[in-house]
């Protein structure tokens, strides 16, 4: 049986996450020699190196990666235990670790806000990143729940649809196509196009449609942010495809318009997912139930009308 203390595992896990003894020491408020010596003792009791050092950067060995995954499970279980104890005492306390794709940031904080009013004692870590990076987080089991619109099929997941996520062609309000109906998708080939960065789920959905319809657009600009794309469209740099959710915040409704293009909107849906086999914490489970319950009523998703789910975005 390997002799390791919880403290040594914590020190190892923090070092592995940062790839640095110094940063681990900072996070844990201990000295850097203490971190090195704890990792050294752990290495000795395991009998295999856990890190390789190249320059100043630490890289995990195979044994180190295995131990990192084990540490995550151990600490998850302990966190869950603490949350269960709090629950048994009649309080919901603990941390909710949520990771969402960039486009979901337009509505997730709103529902988190109302969830927190019900459970004021919980802490939330909300990671916002693009589709590809979110999948990498899933592989590493870094979060409790994920919200995205195209769950991968090569990871075993439990997923539930929560809301529509229509992707629309967006142009400046004074664009010559703004008043036209039923614009053929091939017409987009004659327009300068602004695309999300590679790794974006929105881009993936758009590329799939263009490939299916054999449409090849002239990409003038690639941008890693929906907000930057909106500004670029408003600035006359071209048109783009964005989730309707990105168009809700005030300030853009007057400048942008969703075009009536054939095959659009692309009908995506938002899913809340977690790793199959993962034991959800009390808090994560409470949030999941809250999300599913309120997604049905829709009134919680500000900016959408309860009646038909259409946004306040003007469509011509
Ligand atoms: P994105 O993902 O923010 O990476 O474009 C959106 C999605 O999953 O649809």
């Amino acid at each position: 049986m390997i002799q390791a203390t919880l403290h040594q595992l914590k020190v190892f896990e923090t070092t592995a996450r940062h790839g640095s003894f110094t940063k681990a020491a900072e996070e844990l408020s201990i000295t850097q020699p203490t971190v090195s010596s704890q990792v050294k003792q752990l290495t000795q009791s395991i009998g295999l190196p856990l890190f390789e050092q190249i320059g100043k950067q630490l890289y995990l060995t195979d044994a180190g990666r295995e131990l990192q995954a084990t540490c995550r499970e151990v600490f998850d279980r302990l966190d869950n235990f603490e949350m269960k104890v709090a629950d048994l005492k009649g309080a919901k306390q603990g941390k909710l670790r949520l990771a969402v794709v960039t486009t979901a940031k337009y509505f997730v904080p709103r529902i988190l806000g109302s969830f927190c009013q019900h459970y004021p004692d919980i802490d939330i870590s909300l990671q916002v990143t693009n589709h590809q990076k979110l999948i990498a987080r899933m592989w590493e089991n870094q979060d409790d729940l994920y919200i995205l619109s195209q769950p991968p099929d090569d990871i075993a997941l439990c997923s539930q649809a929560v809301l529509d996520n229509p992707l629309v062609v967006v142009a400046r309000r004074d664009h010559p196509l703004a008043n036209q109906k039923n614009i053929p998708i091939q017409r987009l080939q004659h327009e300068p196009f602004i695309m999300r960065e590679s790794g974006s789920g929105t881009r993936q959905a758009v590329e799939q449609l263009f490939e299916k319809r054999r449409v090849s657009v002239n990409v003038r600009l690639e941008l890693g942010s929906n907000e930057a794309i909106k500004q670029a469209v408003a600035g006359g740099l071209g048109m783009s495809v964005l989730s309707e959710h990105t168009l809700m915040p005030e300030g853009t409704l007057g400048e942008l318009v969703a075009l009536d293009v054939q095959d659009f909107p692309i009908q995506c849906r938002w899913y809340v997912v977690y790793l199959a086999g993962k034991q959800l914490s009390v808090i994560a489970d409470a949030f999941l139930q809250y999300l599913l319950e309120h997604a049905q009523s829709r009134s919680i998703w500000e900016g959408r009308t309860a009646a038909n789910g259409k946004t306040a975005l003007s469509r011509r």
Side-chain angles (χ1 to χ4, degrees), residues 100-104 129-134 147-151 165 167 196-197 199-205 226 243 268-270:
V100 307
V101 286
T102 46
T103 311
T129 186
N130 79 9
H131 178 88
Q132 193 174 46
K133 292 188 181 141
L134 196 85
I147 296 180
L148 77 171
S149 76
Q150 294 164 74
N165 175 28
L167 306 185
R196 280 283 305 275
E197 80 287 5
S200 141
T202 308
R203 176 175 176 148
Q204 195 177 310
N226 294 316
S243 162
C268 296
R269 302 204 80 193
W270 292 115

PDB file of all heavy atoms in Angstrom, residues 100-104 129-134 147-151 165 167 196-197 199-205 226 243 268-270, ligand 1:
ATOM      1  N   VAL A 100     -18.913  26.363 -19.587  1.00  0.00           N
ATOM      2  CA  VAL A 100     -19.870  26.588 -20.680  1.00  0.00           C
ATOM      3  C   VAL A 100     -19.127  27.143 -21.897  1.00  0.00           C
ATOM      4  O   VAL A 100     -18.083  27.769 -21.752  1.00  0.00           O
ATOM      5  CB  VAL A 100     -20.991  27.580 -20.268  1.00  0.00           C
ATOM      6  CG1 VAL A 100     -21.652  27.148 -18.983  1.00  0.00           C
ATOM      7  CG2 VAL A 100     -20.497  29.022 -20.138  1.00  0.00           C
ATOM      8  N   VAL A 101     -19.695  26.903 -23.079  1.00  0.00           N
ATOM      9  CA  VAL A 101     -19.093  27.487 -24.284  1.00  0.00           C
ATOM     10  C   VAL A 101     -19.362  28.991 -24.316  1.00  0.00           C
ATOM     11  O   VAL A 101     -20.316  29.471 -23.699  1.00  0.00           O
ATOM     12  CB  VAL A 101     -19.616  26.838 -25.586  1.00  0.00           C
ATOM     13  CG1 VAL A 101     -19.045  25.459 -25.795  1.00  0.00           C
ATOM     14  CG2 VAL A 101     -21.112  26.837 -25.632  1.00  0.00           C
ATOM     15  N   THR A 102     -18.514  29.686 -25.048  1.00  0.00           N
ATOM     16  CA  THR A 102     -18.544  31.151 -25.022  1.00  0.00           C
ATOM     17  C   THR A 102     -19.939  31.722 -25.293  1.00  0.00           C
ATOM     18  O   THR A 102     -20.347  32.695 -24.674  1.00  0.00           O
ATOM     19  CB  THR A 102     -17.573  31.732 -26.065  1.00  0.00           C
ATOM     20  OG1 THR A 102     -17.759  31.026 -27.273  1.00  0.00           O
ATOM     21  CG2 THR A 102     -16.150  31.578 -25.640  1.00  0.00           C
ATOM     22  N   THR A 103     -20.665  31.076 -26.208  1.00  0.00           N
ATOM     23  CA  THR A 103     -21.957  31.623 -26.584  1.00  0.00           C
ATOM     24  C   THR A 103     -22.971  31.498 -25.448  1.00  0.00           C
ATOM     25  O   THR A 103     -23.904  32.298 -25.347  1.00  0.00           O
ATOM     26  CB  THR A 103     -22.463  30.887 -27.845  1.00  0.00           C
ATOM     27  OG1 THR A 103     -21.388  30.877 -28.791  1.00  0.00           O
ATOM     28  CG2 THR A 103     -23.630  31.575 -28.457  1.00  0.00           C
ATOM     29  N   ALA A 104     -22.775  30.510 -24.580  1.00  0.00           N
ATOM     30  CA  ALA A 104     -23.725  30.301 -23.486  1.00  0.00           C
ATOM     31  C   ALA A 104     -23.588  31.364 -22.388  1.00  0.00           C
ATOM     32  O   ALA A 104     -24.451  31.478 -21.522  1.00  0.00           O
ATOM     33  CB  ALA A 104     -23.530  28.905 -22.890  1.00  0.00           C
ATOM     34  N   THR A 129     -15.361  29.054 -22.196  1.00  0.00           N
ATOM     35  CA  THR A 129     -14.308  28.795 -23.179  1.00  0.00           C
ATOM     36  C   THR A 129     -14.944  28.245 -24.459  1.00  0.00           C
ATOM     37  O   THR A 129     -16.153  28.022 -24.480  1.00  0.00           O
ATOM     38  CB  THR A 129     -13.277  27.819 -22.576  1.00  0.00           C
ATOM     39  OG1 THR A 129     -12.195  27.681 -23.478  1.00  0.00           O
ATOM     40  CG2 THR A 129     -13.856  26.441 -22.301  1.00  0.00           C
ATOM     41  N   ASN A 130     -14.146  28.061 -25.510  1.00  0.00           N
ATOM     42  CA  ASN A 130     -14.811  27.594 -26.738  1.00  0.00           C
ATOM     43  C   ASN A 130     -15.022  26.085 -26.715  1.00  0.00           C
ATOM     44  O   ASN A 130     -14.574  25.393 -25.806  1.00  0.00           O
ATOM     45  CB  ASN A 130     -14.109  28.110 -27.994  1.00  0.00           C
ATOM     46  CG  ASN A 130     -12.853  27.335 -28.339  1.00  0.00           C
ATOM     47  OD1 ASN A 130     -12.539  26.292 -27.764  1.00  0.00           O
ATOM     48  ND2 ASN A 130     -12.103  27.862 -29.281  1.00  0.00           N
ATOM     49  N   HIS A 131     -15.732  25.614 -27.716  1.00  0.00           N
ATOM     50  CA  HIS A 131     -16.158  24.213 -27.761  1.00  0.00           C
ATOM     51  C   HIS A 131     -14.975  23.249 -27.565  1.00  0.00           C
ATOM     52  O   HIS A 131     -15.018  22.355 -26.723  1.00  0.00           O
ATOM     53  CB  HIS A 131     -16.839  23.983 -29.126  1.00  0.00           C
ATOM     54  CG  HIS A 131     -17.285  22.592 -29.352  1.00  0.00           C
ATOM     55  ND1 HIS A 131     -18.516  22.130 -28.970  1.00  0.00           N
ATOM     56  CD2 HIS A 131     -16.641  21.523 -29.914  1.00  0.00           C
ATOM     57  CE1 HIS A 131     -18.629  20.856 -29.289  1.00  0.00           C
ATOM     58  NE2 HIS A 131     -17.504  20.469 -29.866  1.00  0.00           N
ATOM     59  N   GLN A 132     -13.915  23.483 -28.352  1.00  0.00           N
ATOM     60  CA  GLN A 132     -12.790  22.548 -28.320  1.00  0.00           C
ATOM     61  C   GLN A 132     -12.142  22.490 -26.936  1.00  0.00           C
ATOM     62  O   GLN A 132     -11.846  21.418 -26.416  1.00  0.00           O
ATOM     63  CB  GLN A 132     -11.759  23.008 -29.350  1.00  0.00           C
ATOM     64  CG  GLN A 132     -10.709  21.987 -29.657  1.00  0.00           C
ATOM     65  CD  GLN A 132      -9.829  22.481 -30.802  1.00  0.00           C
ATOM     66  OE1 GLN A 132      -9.394  23.641 -30.802  1.00  0.00           O
ATOM     67  NE2 GLN A 132      -9.581  21.641 -31.766  1.00  0.00           N
ATOM     68  N   LYS A 133     -11.979  23.659 -26.322  1.00  0.00           N
ATOM     69  CA  LYS A 133     -11.333  23.681 -25.003  1.00  0.00           C
ATOM     70  C   LYS A 133     -12.252  23.071 -23.945  1.00  0.00           C
ATOM     71  O   LYS A 133     -11.801  22.493 -22.965  1.00  0.00           O
ATOM     72  CB  LYS A 133     -10.941  25.109 -24.638  1.00  0.00           C
ATOM     73  CG  LYS A 133      -9.834  25.600 -25.537  1.00  0.00           C
ATOM     74  CD  LYS A 133      -9.288  26.930 -25.091  1.00  0.00           C
ATOM     75  CE  LYS A 133      -8.202  27.388 -26.054  1.00  0.00           C
ATOM     76  NZ  LYS A 133      -8.254  28.809 -26.308  1.00  0.00           N
ATOM     77  N   LEU A 134     -13.549  23.230 -24.156  1.00  0.00           N
ATOM     78  CA  LEU A 134     -14.511  22.638 -23.221  1.00  0.00           C
ATOM     79  C   LEU A 134     -14.406  21.105 -23.262  1.00  0.00           C
ATOM     80  O   LEU A 134     -14.450  20.435 -22.225  1.00  0.00           O
ATOM     81  CB  LEU A 134     -15.924  23.076 -23.592  1.00  0.00           C
ATOM     82  CG  LEU A 134     -16.957  22.854 -22.504  1.00  0.00           C
ATOM     83  CD1 LEU A 134     -16.957  24.028 -21.542  1.00  0.00           C
ATOM     84  CD2 LEU A 134     -18.341  22.700 -23.099  1.00  0.00           C
ATOM     85  N   ILE A 147     -22.194  23.108 -20.350  1.00  0.00           N
ATOM     86  CA  ILE A 147     -23.298  23.511 -21.231  1.00  0.00           C
ATOM     87  C   ILE A 147     -22.699  23.839 -22.603  1.00  0.00           C
ATOM     88  O   ILE A 147     -21.775  24.658 -22.709  1.00  0.00           O
ATOM     89  CB  ILE A 147     -24.074  24.712 -20.654  1.00  0.00           C
ATOM     90  CG1 ILE A 147     -24.747  24.294 -19.345  1.00  0.00           C
ATOM     91  CG2 ILE A 147     -25.131  25.197 -21.662  1.00  0.00           C
ATOM     92  CD1 ILE A 147     -25.543  25.360 -18.660  1.00  0.00           C
ATOM     93  N   LEU A 148     -23.209  23.152 -23.612  1.00  0.00           N
ATOM     94  CA  LEU A 148     -22.721  23.352 -24.981  1.00  0.00           C
ATOM     95  C   LEU A 148     -23.800  22.895 -25.950  1.00  0.00           C
ATOM     96  O   LEU A 148     -24.801  22.299 -25.525  1.00  0.00           O
ATOM     97  CB  LEU A 148     -21.413  22.583 -25.215  1.00  0.00           C
ATOM     98  CG  LEU A 148     -21.469  21.080 -25.431  1.00  0.00           C
ATOM     99  CD1 LEU A 148     -20.099  20.586 -25.853  1.00  0.00           C
ATOM    100  CD2 LEU A 148     -21.912  20.322 -24.218  1.00  0.00           C
ATOM    101  N   SER A 149     -23.583  23.172 -27.248  1.00  0.00           N
ATOM    102  CA  SER A 149     -24.678  22.779 -28.131  1.00  0.00           C
ATOM    103  C   SER A 149     -24.371  21.563 -28.982  1.00  0.00           C
ATOM    104  O   SER A 149     -25.270  21.056 -29.632  1.00  0.00           O
ATOM    105  CB  SER A 149     -25.165  23.948 -28.981  1.00  0.00           C
ATOM    106  OG  SER A 149     -24.285  24.190 -30.005  1.00  0.00           O
ATOM    107  N   GLN A 150     -23.130  21.106 -29.002  1.00  0.00           N
ATOM    108  CA  GLN A 150     -22.872  19.882 -29.783  1.00  0.00           C
ATOM    109  C   GLN A 150     -22.077  18.901 -28.946  1.00  0.00           C
ATOM    110  O   GLN A 150     -20.851  18.825 -29.082  1.00  0.00           O
ATOM    111  CB  GLN A 150     -22.122  20.251 -31.051  1.00  0.00           C
ATOM    112  CG  GLN A 150     -22.986  21.088 -31.978  1.00  0.00           C
ATOM    113  CD  GLN A 150     -22.182  21.792 -33.037  1.00  0.00           C
ATOM    114  OE1 GLN A 150     -21.731  21.166 -33.962  1.00  0.00           O
ATOM    115  NE2 GLN A 150     -21.989  23.093 -32.873  1.00  0.00           N
ATOM    116  N   PRO A 151     -22.755  18.156 -28.068  1.00  0.00           N
ATOM    117  CA  PRO A 151     -22.009  17.226 -27.213  1.00  0.00           C
ATOM    118  C   PRO A 151     -21.226  16.221 -28.074  1.00  0.00           C
ATOM    119  O   PRO A 151     -21.740  15.739 -29.078  1.00  0.00           O
ATOM    120  CB  PRO A 151     -23.107  16.513 -26.415  1.00  0.00           C
ATOM    121  CG  PRO A 151     -24.326  17.337 -26.573  1.00  0.00           C
ATOM    122  CD  PRO A 151     -24.198  18.083 -27.863  1.00  0.00           C
ATOM    123  N   ASN A 165     -31.053  26.761 -29.656  1.00  0.00           N
ATOM    124  CA  ASN A 165     -29.936  27.667 -29.922  1.00  0.00           C
ATOM    125  C   ASN A 165     -29.854  27.921 -31.434  1.00  0.00           C
ATOM    126  O   ASN A 165     -29.031  27.358 -32.132  1.00  0.00           O
ATOM    127  CB  ASN A 165     -28.626  27.035 -29.414  1.00  0.00           C
ATOM    128  CG  ASN A 165     -27.417  27.877 -29.766  1.00  0.00           C
ATOM    129  OD1 ASN A 165     -27.520  29.099 -29.900  1.00  0.00           O
ATOM    130  ND2 ASN A 165     -26.262  27.249 -29.930  1.00  0.00           N
ATOM    131  N   LEU A 167     -28.904  29.407 -34.904  1.00  0.00           N
ATOM    132  CA  LEU A 167     -27.792  30.197 -35.445  1.00  0.00           C
ATOM    133  C   LEU A 167     -28.297  30.944 -36.677  1.00  0.00           C
ATOM    134  O   LEU A 167     -28.875  30.335 -37.580  1.00  0.00           O
ATOM    135  CB  LEU A 167     -26.623  29.293 -35.844  1.00  0.00           C
ATOM    136  CG  LEU A 167     -26.078  28.337 -34.779  1.00  0.00           C
ATOM    137  CD1 LEU A 167     -24.845  27.605 -35.309  1.00  0.00           C
ATOM    138  CD2 LEU A 167     -25.722  29.087 -33.500  1.00  0.00           C
ATOM    139  N   ARG A 196     -16.018  32.595 -36.703  1.00  0.00           N
ATOM    140  CA  ARG A 196     -15.413  32.333 -35.380  1.00  0.00           C
ATOM    141  C   ARG A 196     -14.126  31.535 -35.589  1.00  0.00           C
ATOM    142  O   ARG A 196     -13.895  30.929 -36.619  1.00  0.00           O
ATOM    143  CB  ARG A 196     -16.394  31.542 -34.515  1.00  0.00           C
ATOM    144  CG  ARG A 196     -17.476  32.389 -33.858  1.00  0.00           C
ATOM    145  CD  ARG A 196     -16.949  33.165 -32.645  1.00  0.00           C
ATOM    146  NE  ARG A 196     -16.323  32.277 -31.670  1.00  0.00           N
ATOM    147  CZ  ARG A 196     -16.979  31.612 -30.726  1.00  0.00           C
ATOM    148  NH1 ARG A 196     -18.274  31.796 -30.590  1.00  0.00           N
ATOM    149  NH2 ARG A 196     -16.345  30.798 -29.907  1.00  0.00           N
ATOM    150  N   GLU A 197     -13.279  31.507 -34.551  1.00  0.00           N
ATOM    151  CA  GLU A 197     -12.000  30.799 -34.630  1.00  0.00           C
ATOM    152  C   GLU A 197     -12.182  29.292 -34.769  1.00  0.00           C
ATOM    153  O   GLU A 197     -13.236  28.768 -34.400  1.00  0.00           O
ATOM    154  CB  GLU A 197     -11.176  31.111 -33.359  1.00  0.00           C
ATOM    155  CG  GLU A 197     -11.565  30.319 -32.114  1.00  0.00           C
ATOM    156  CD  GLU A 197     -12.900  30.735 -31.463  1.00  0.00           C
ATOM    157  OE1 GLU A 197     -13.610  31.586 -32.016  1.00  0.00           O
ATOM    158  OE2 GLU A 197     -13.220  30.156 -30.409  1.00  0.00           O
ATOM    159  N   GLY A 199     -12.134  25.588 -33.701  1.00  0.00           N
ATOM    160  CA  GLY A 199     -12.346  25.088 -32.331  1.00  0.00           C
ATOM    161  C   GLY A 199     -13.670  25.577 -31.766  1.00  0.00           C
ATOM    162  O   GLY A 199     -14.127  25.092 -30.732  1.00  0.00           O
ATOM    163  N   SER A 200     -14.305  26.536 -32.470  1.00  0.00           N
ATOM    164  CA  SER A 200     -15.598  27.038 -32.001  1.00  0.00           C
ATOM    165  C   SER A 200     -16.722  26.103 -32.461  1.00  0.00           C
ATOM    166  O   SER A 200     -16.720  25.611 -33.598  1.00  0.00           O
ATOM    167  CB  SER A 200     -15.806  28.451 -32.575  1.00  0.00           C
ATOM    168  OG  SER A 200     -17.148  28.642 -32.961  1.00  0.00           O
ATOM    169  N   GLY A 201     -17.689  25.885 -31.582  1.00  0.00           N
ATOM    170  CA  GLY A 201     -18.826  25.038 -31.918  1.00  0.00           C
ATOM    171  C   GLY A 201     -19.706  25.691 -32.969  1.00  0.00           C
ATOM    172  O   GLY A 201     -20.263  25.028 -33.843  1.00  0.00           O
ATOM    173  N   THR A 202     -19.847  27.017 -32.893  1.00  0.00           N
ATOM    174  CA  THR A 202     -20.642  27.754 -33.878  1.00  0.00           C
ATOM    175  C   THR A 202     -20.030  27.540 -35.260  1.00  0.00           C
ATOM    176  O   THR A 202     -20.714  27.219 -36.226  1.00  0.00           O
ATOM    177  CB  THR A 202     -20.631  29.267 -33.538  1.00  0.00           C
ATOM    178  OG1 THR A 202     -21.009  29.424 -32.173  1.00  0.00           O
ATOM    179  CG2 THR A 202     -21.547  30.051 -34.440  1.00  0.00           C
ATOM    180  N   ARG A 203     -18.727  27.701 -35.328  1.00  0.00           N
ATOM    181  CA  ARG A 203     -18.040  27.529 -36.616  1.00  0.00           C
ATOM    182  C   ARG A 203     -18.247  26.106 -37.155  1.00  0.00           C
ATOM    183  O   ARG A 203     -18.515  25.915 -38.335  1.00  0.00           O
ATOM    184  CB  ARG A 203     -16.548  27.818 -36.436  1.00  0.00           C
ATOM    185  CG  ARG A 203     -15.768  27.573 -37.701  1.00  0.00           C
ATOM    186  CD  ARG A 203     -14.336  27.982 -37.520  1.00  0.00           C
ATOM    187  NE  ARG A 203     -13.548  27.657 -38.686  1.00  0.00           N
ATOM    188  CZ  ARG A 203     -12.514  28.370 -39.078  1.00  0.00           C
ATOM    189  NH1 ARG A 203     -12.158  29.438 -38.409  1.00  0.00           N
ATOM    190  NH2 ARG A 203     -11.827  28.004 -40.124  1.00  0.00           N
ATOM    191  N   GLN A 204     -18.150  25.146 -36.249  1.00  0.00           N
ATOM    192  CA  GLN A 204     -18.322  23.750 -36.657  1.00  0.00           C
ATOM    193  C   GLN A 204     -19.701  23.549 -37.319  1.00  0.00           C
ATOM    194  O   GLN A 204     -19.808  22.948 -38.375  1.00  0.00           O
ATOM    195  CB  GLN A 204     -18.213  22.892 -35.402  1.00  0.00           C
ATOM    196  CG  GLN A 204     -18.010  21.424 -35.624  1.00  0.00           C
ATOM    197  CD  GLN A 204     -17.835  20.731 -34.262  1.00  0.00           C
ATOM    198  OE1 GLN A 204     -17.039  21.160 -33.429  1.00  0.00           O
ATOM    199  NE2 GLN A 204     -18.588  19.697 -34.019  1.00  0.00           N
ATOM    200  N   ALA A 205     -20.740  24.105 -36.682  1.00  0.00           N
ATOM    201  CA  ALA A 205     -22.099  23.943 -37.214  1.00  0.00           C
ATOM    202  C   ALA A 205     -22.236  24.639 -38.572  1.00  0.00           C
ATOM    203  O   ALA A 205     -22.859  24.122 -39.496  1.00  0.00           O
ATOM    204  CB  ALA A 205     -23.113  24.502 -36.222  1.00  0.00           C
ATOM    205  N   ASN A 226     -17.612  36.437 -29.914  1.00  0.00           N
ATOM    206  CA  ASN A 226     -18.894  36.831 -30.530  1.00  0.00           C
ATOM    207  C   ASN A 226     -19.059  38.348 -30.507  1.00  0.00           C
ATOM    208  O   ASN A 226     -19.592  38.942 -31.444  1.00  0.00           O
ATOM    209  CB  ASN A 226     -20.050  36.181 -29.771  1.00  0.00           C
ATOM    210  CG  ASN A 226     -20.043  34.681 -29.924  1.00  0.00           C
ATOM    211  OD1 ASN A 226     -19.843  34.165 -31.010  1.00  0.00           O
ATOM    212  ND2 ASN A 226     -20.250  33.965 -28.829  1.00  0.00           N
ATOM    213  N   SER A 243     -25.151  32.807 -32.847  1.00  0.00           N
ATOM    214  CA  SER A 243     -26.315  32.347 -32.099  1.00  0.00           C
ATOM    215  C   SER A 243     -27.216  33.554 -31.825  1.00  0.00           C
ATOM    216  O   SER A 243     -26.724  34.650 -31.521  1.00  0.00           O
ATOM    217  CB  SER A 243     -25.857  31.748 -30.774  1.00  0.00           C
ATOM    218  OG  SER A 243     -26.936  31.673 -29.890  1.00  0.00           O
ATOM    219  N   CYS A 268     -29.743  24.467 -33.685  1.00  0.00           N
ATOM    220  CA  CYS A 268     -28.978  23.760 -32.660  1.00  0.00           C
ATOM    221  C   CYS A 268     -29.766  23.812 -31.351  1.00  0.00           C
ATOM    222  O   CYS A 268     -30.752  24.540 -31.245  1.00  0.00           O
ATOM    223  CB  CYS A 268     -27.618  24.426 -32.443  1.00  0.00           C
ATOM    224  SG  CYS A 268     -26.557  24.371 -33.888  1.00  0.00           S
ATOM    225  N   ARG A 269     -29.315  23.041 -30.380  1.00  0.00           N
ATOM    226  CA  ARG A 269     -29.941  23.090 -29.057  1.00  0.00           C
ATOM    227  C   ARG A 269     -28.839  23.145 -28.002  1.00  0.00           C
ATOM    228  O   ARG A 269     -27.734  22.635 -28.228  1.00  0.00           O
ATOM    229  CB  ARG A 269     -30.774  21.823 -28.806  1.00  0.00           C
ATOM    230  CG  ARG A 269     -31.846  21.613 -29.822  1.00  0.00           C
ATOM    231  CD  ARG A 269     -32.961  20.769 -29.264  1.00  0.00           C
ATOM    232  NE  ARG A 269     -33.848  21.595 -28.449  1.00  0.00           N
ATOM    233  CZ  ARG A 269     -34.775  21.113 -27.632  1.00  0.00           C
ATOM    234  NH1 ARG A 269     -34.920  19.823 -27.489  1.00  0.00           N
ATOM    235  NH2 ARG A 269     -35.545  21.912 -26.927  1.00  0.00           N
ATOM    236  N   TRP A 270     -29.155  23.759 -26.900  1.00  0.00           N
ATOM    237  CA  TRP A 270     -28.216  23.741 -25.781  1.00  0.00           C
ATOM    238  C   TRP A 270     -28.446  22.474 -24.974  1.00  0.00           C
ATOM    239  O   TRP A 270     -29.604  22.112 -24.706  1.00  0.00           O
ATOM    240  CB  TRP A 270     -28.441  24.937 -24.852  1.00  0.00           C
ATOM    241  CG  TRP A 270     -28.077  26.233 -25.482  1.00  0.00           C
ATOM    242  CD1 TRP A 270     -28.914  27.257 -25.788  1.00  0.00           C
ATOM    243  CD2 TRP A 270     -26.781  26.652 -25.888  1.00  0.00           C
ATOM    244  NE1 TRP A 270     -28.225  28.280 -26.363  1.00  0.00           N
ATOM    245  CE2 TRP A 270     -26.911  27.931 -26.437  1.00  0.00           C
ATOM    246  CE3 TRP A 270     -25.520  26.071 -25.840  1.00  0.00           C
ATOM    247  CZ2 TRP A 270     -25.833  28.648 -26.924  1.00  0.00           C
ATOM    248  CZ3 TRP A 270     -24.442  26.773 -26.341  1.00  0.00           C
ATOM    249  CH2 TRP A 270     -24.602  28.046 -26.873  1.00  0.00           C
TER     250      TRP A 270
HETATM  251  P1  LIG B   1     -18.690  28.223 -29.355  1.00  0.00           P
HETATM  252  O1  LIG B   1     -19.713  27.031 -29.106  1.00  0.00           O
HETATM  253  O2  LIG B   1     -18.982  29.299 -28.350  1.00  0.00           O
HETATM  254  O3  LIG B   1     -17.358  27.505 -29.180  1.00  0.00           O
HETATM  255  O4  LIG B   1     -18.892  28.681 -30.764  1.00  0.00           O
HETATM  256  C1  LIG B   1     -21.050  27.216 -29.257  1.00  0.00           C
HETATM  257  C2  LIG B   1     -21.748  25.879 -29.349  1.00  0.00           C
HETATM  258  O5  LIG B   1     -21.369  24.877 -28.713  1.00  0.00           O
HETATM  259  O6  LIG B   1     -22.717  25.906 -30.116  1.00  0.00           O
END
